[in-house]
Amino acid sequence: MGKNRAATNESESTKFAYQMEDIVPIYLRKRYLVMFLAFLGYINLYTMRVNLSVAIVAMTTNQTVQHEDGTESWDRPFDWSNVERGYALSSFFYGYIATMLVGGTLAARFGGTLIFGGGILLLSIVTLLTPIMSSKGIYYLIAARVLVGAFSGLSYPSVQAVYAKWSPPLERTRTSGFGIAGIYLGTVLAMVLSGWLGENFSWQSIFYVFGGVGCVWSALWLAVVRESPDRDSWIRQDERNFINQSLEQHGQVNVVKPPWKKLLSSPAVIAVCVGAFSYTWGFYTLLTQLPSYMNDMLDFNLQNSGFLSAVPYLVLFLTLIFTSSLADWLQMKRILTTTQVRIIFTCSSFLCQLVFLLMAAFFTNTTAVIVCLTLSVGLGAFSMNGYIVNPLDIAPQFASIIMGFANTFGTVPGIVSPIITGYIVQTPTFSEYRIVFYISCGIYLFGTIVYGLLAAGTVQPWAVVSVEESEEESISEK
């Protein structure tokens, strides 16, 4: 009976969606503008969190100084050790881990539009102030990055609440994939532009440019996007009706109190958290260390190392577009179940990343290393359609909270990995970097085993909440 009702609702929603195609032209759909601005928001979010990975190379590299008598000498802006650099690179995540779950919970209760836009505005302001704080010493730089992390932690999970209000259920996979693609495009832009700015202007310009763009985007977001279609006076009534009816047909309700004990002890939620931890360990290791590895071991200058460091994330961005469609197609054609798609995509991604990262650890040829690292990062796109989308499968009512909790878990590698790398890579040598790669490979293997055993692709019993229960809970809150 339940399955028949769900099938009927999906059929009616699909029929309504086809009618919508004739009513509102694509270029007039407000929800597409909201999704595009959210995509740009993701780009801004990641350019400001990634730029220090390249900027710190310029900040600690010897530069030519021209003297009045015509002579030249070498000097570096900051004489920081590898250990101090490791702490600076990891400091972002101290603030990030502290506010991730807070951001997801606040967004689930109050909506994500203001939190997303306001958070990015605040981190943009701190980014603009970073050169001034850096000039006062390493501890001031660390403080600035902690603040950037804290505001990013509020912003990141809040987008899920925006999607919940603006994106019809039949479009959410594409919506989520499009937003996630902004993460990696932002990473590419940060790597390429930071290297170019640092080489041709100054290391300070890296923070001024990205911070300024973030302020402009925040003003645009807060001026254009409303909390829901019902609060938007610019949206066409036909589109507002379509979004509201599609949400109602899929039984979406607002739940005030999540079942915390059952949620946190659920094997399916644990699988998502382990998946997040495993993926982000490898991702953050390469994200923070790849520019330095290119510069130290492959003898690339700042601009080239920034560009080549961005290539893997460009491949990841392009691969993600393909894999999002492939995941939907496999489920629509009933070739694989949702559970099978999530497990196969995530575990195969981790294993492929492990293999190519291990190969990169043994190659010393520049081209071979770049190809292996590119494939290791790029194939991570498959897991983006696995563990990241998984919260919407197992508990759609609490997806933003699960995302906030999983990303809190996934932030630990961002704190620990750069510090461990700073202690391991002292000389530096290929053998030292090889140890760093071995650690990432071991964690990928751990994630493959745990996620493969515990992951699920269906709504969990504790997450099934009726409309009546939600209404009773809302009344008791008043």
Side-chain angles (χ1 to χ4, degrees), residues 56-122:
I56 202 167
V57 177
M59 296 166 73
T60 57
T61 300
N62 286 333
Q63 300 176 0
T64 303
V65 178
Q66 297 285 349
H67 298 285
E68 294 181 359
D69 59 3
T71 60
E72 295 181 353
S73 64
W74 293 89
D75 192 21
R76 63 177 64 185
F78 302 100
D79 191 21
W80 296 330
S81 67
N82 281 345
V83 173
E84 289 175 319
R85 289 170 58 176
Y87 278 109
L89 289 169
S90 67
S91 58
F92 168 94
F93 300 99
Y94 296 121
Y96 194 60
I97 196 172
T99 59
M100 180 66 70
L101 185 56
V102 174
T105 304
L106 290 176
R109 187 174 181 87
F110 302 110
T113 301
L114 181 61
I115 298 174
F116 185 53
I120 293 181
L121 175 61
L122 291 172

Side-chain angles (χ1 to χ4, degrees), residues 403-426:
M403 180 64 70
F405 186 69
N407 280 332
T408 300
F409 235 84
T411 302
V412 174
I415 297 173
V416 178
S417 175
I419 295 175
I420 291 177
T421 301
Y423 280 105
I424 294 174
V425 180
Q426 294 285 336

Side-chain angles (χ1 to χ4, degrees), residues 92-418:
F92 168 94
F93 300 99
Y94 296 121
Y96 194 60
I97 196 172
T99 59
M100 180 66 70
L101 185 56
V102 174
T105 304
L106 290 176
R109 187 174 181 87
F110 302 110
T113 301
L114 181 61
I115 298 174
F116 185 53
I120 293 181
L121 175 61
L122 291 172
L123 76 90
S124 299
I125 294 172
V126 176
T127 299
L128 289 171
L129 296 175
T130 298
I132 298 175
M133 299 183 72
S134 299
S135 66
K136 296 181 179 296
I138 185 68
Y139 295 109
Y140 286 89
L141 172 60
I142 290 174
R145 294 299 294 179
V146 170
L147 289 175
V148 169
F151 296 135
S152 297
L154 288 176
S155 302
Y156 185 82
S158 63
V159 184
Q160 299 297 321
V162 176
Y163 291 161
K165 296 288 182 64
W166 279 94
S167 181
L170 292 178
E171 298 179 3
R172 282 182 181 169
T173 301
R174 284 170 288 168
T175 296
S176 178
F178 186 57
I180 294 170
I183 291 175
Y184 303 108
L185 183 58
T187 301
V188 170
L189 291 175
M191 291 289 190
V192 174
L193 293 180
S194 293
W196 181 79
L197 289 168
E199 189 76 20
N200 294 280
F201 295 94
S202 66
W203 64 266
Q204 294 94 331
S205 66
I206 297 173
F207 300 101
Y208 293 147
V209 169
F210 291 125
V213 172
C215 288
V216 172
W217 174 88
S218 299
L220 182 62
W221 171 268
L222 295 173
V224 172
V225 181
R226 297 293 177 266
E227 197 61 52
S228 67
D230 289 334
R231 299 185 183 181
D232 194 316
S233 59
W234 296 353
I235 190 173
R236 288 176 51 137
Q237 186 61 42
D238 292 333
E239 184 179 9
R240 181 184 292 113
N241 292 339
F242 167 69
I243 295 174
N244 289 336
Q245 290 185 32
S246 64
L247 295 179
E248 291 172 1
Q249 288 169 351
H250 280 75
Q252 178 167 317
V253 295
N254 295 318
V255 180
V256 178
K257 294 181 180 179
W260 286 108
K261 184 176 180 180
K262 294 180 180 179
L263 186 153
L264 297 178
S265 61
S266 169
V269 173
I270 293 172
V272 173
C273 293
V274 171
F277 178 88
S278 303
Y279 174 80
T280 54
W281 185 283
F283 179 79
Y284 286 139
T285 297
L286 292 180
L287 186 66
T288 57
Q289 299 303 323
L290 202 51
S292 297
Y293 181 73
M294 294 286 188
N295 185 72
D296 295 338
M297 307 310 304
L298 304 183
D299 199 28
F300 282 96
N301 61 33
L302 179 62
Q303 183 169 339
N304 287 335
S305 66
F307 174 76
L308 289 173
S309 297
V311 170
Y313 304 102
L314 178 60
V315 173
L316 181 56
F317 167 72
L318 296 174
T319 307
L320 181 59
I321 297 174
F322 165 73
T323 56
S324 296
S325 299
L326 176 62
D328 279 345
W329 182 80
L330 290 171
Q331 294 174 80
M332 289 173 62
K333 295 296 183 180
R334 298 184 179 180
I335 298 174
L336 296 174
T337 65
T338 300
T339 301
Q340 291 170 337
V341 166
R342 302 302 179 229
I343 292 177
I344 291 174
F345 273 51
T346 299
C347 294
S348 63
S349 174
F350 288 171
L351 289 175
C352 288
Q353 289 180 288
L354 184 159
V355 169
F356 285 109
L357 193 57
L358 198 60
M359 292 172 64
F362 283 96
F363 286 136
T364 56
N365 177 271
T366 301
T367 302
V369 171
I370 293 173
V371 169
C372 288
L373 291 176
T374 298
L375 290 173
S376 180
V377 174
L379 291 173
F382 282 88
S383 66
M384 299 296 99
N385 300 284
Y387 81 88
I388 282 187
V389 184
N390 210 182
L392 290 170
D393 304 322
I394 62 177
Q397 301 295 342
F398 312 109
S400 66
I401 296 174
I402 296 174
M403 180 64 70
F405 186 69
N407 280 332
T408 300
F409 235 84
T411 302
V412 174
I415 297 173
V416 178
S417 175

